[in-house]
Amino acid sequence: MFMPRVRSDRPLPVPSGCAKLGLISQFVEIPDDLVFTVEYSVRPAQTAVYQLLNISREIPTITPHDKSWVTQLDAVLKAFA
Ligand SMILES: Cc1cc2nc3c(=O)[nH]c(=O)nc-3n(C[C@H](O)[C@H](O)[C@H](O)COP(=O)(O)OP(=O)(O)OC[C@H]3O[C@@H](n4cnc5c(N)ncnc54)[C@H](O)[C@@H]3O)c2cc1C
């Protein structure tokens, strides 16, 4: 799950050309999201359902915690604590 990956390694929630197939789980590609969270499991399911059923609702945005310097500093401090 935590191995390095490129965007083409995992299928999208609705693979290109599919009209009746939706994929869910931590192994579906959600750009910029972080695996091993409940949010990651929910987001592909929402994406697939909204897309396949033409539901116009917003997918909750991804909070870029990994870009936060507070989070990064906290990680460094914890790593050496
Ligand atoms: C110790 C631990 C702590 C965690 N802490 C957090 C946390 O604090 N915050 C957070 O956001 N996330 C946390 N996570 C991650 C989070 O729990 C998972 O990412 C999330 O539960 C995955 O949900 P899921 O529905 O995709 O898969 P799962 O919850 O794994 O659901 C998959 C389901 O499919 C069933 N299944 C599997 N194979 C078959 C089959 N062949 N036929 C029928 N059913 C099958 C399984 O029994 C299971 O019920 C933690 C995970 C662990 C292990």
Side-chain angles (χ1 to χ4, degrees), residues 1 24-26 35-42:
M1 199 180 269
I24 60 171
S25 93
Q26 305 270 319
V35 292
F36 207 69
T37 64
V38 168
E39 285 84 355
Y40 201 103
S41 292
V42 171

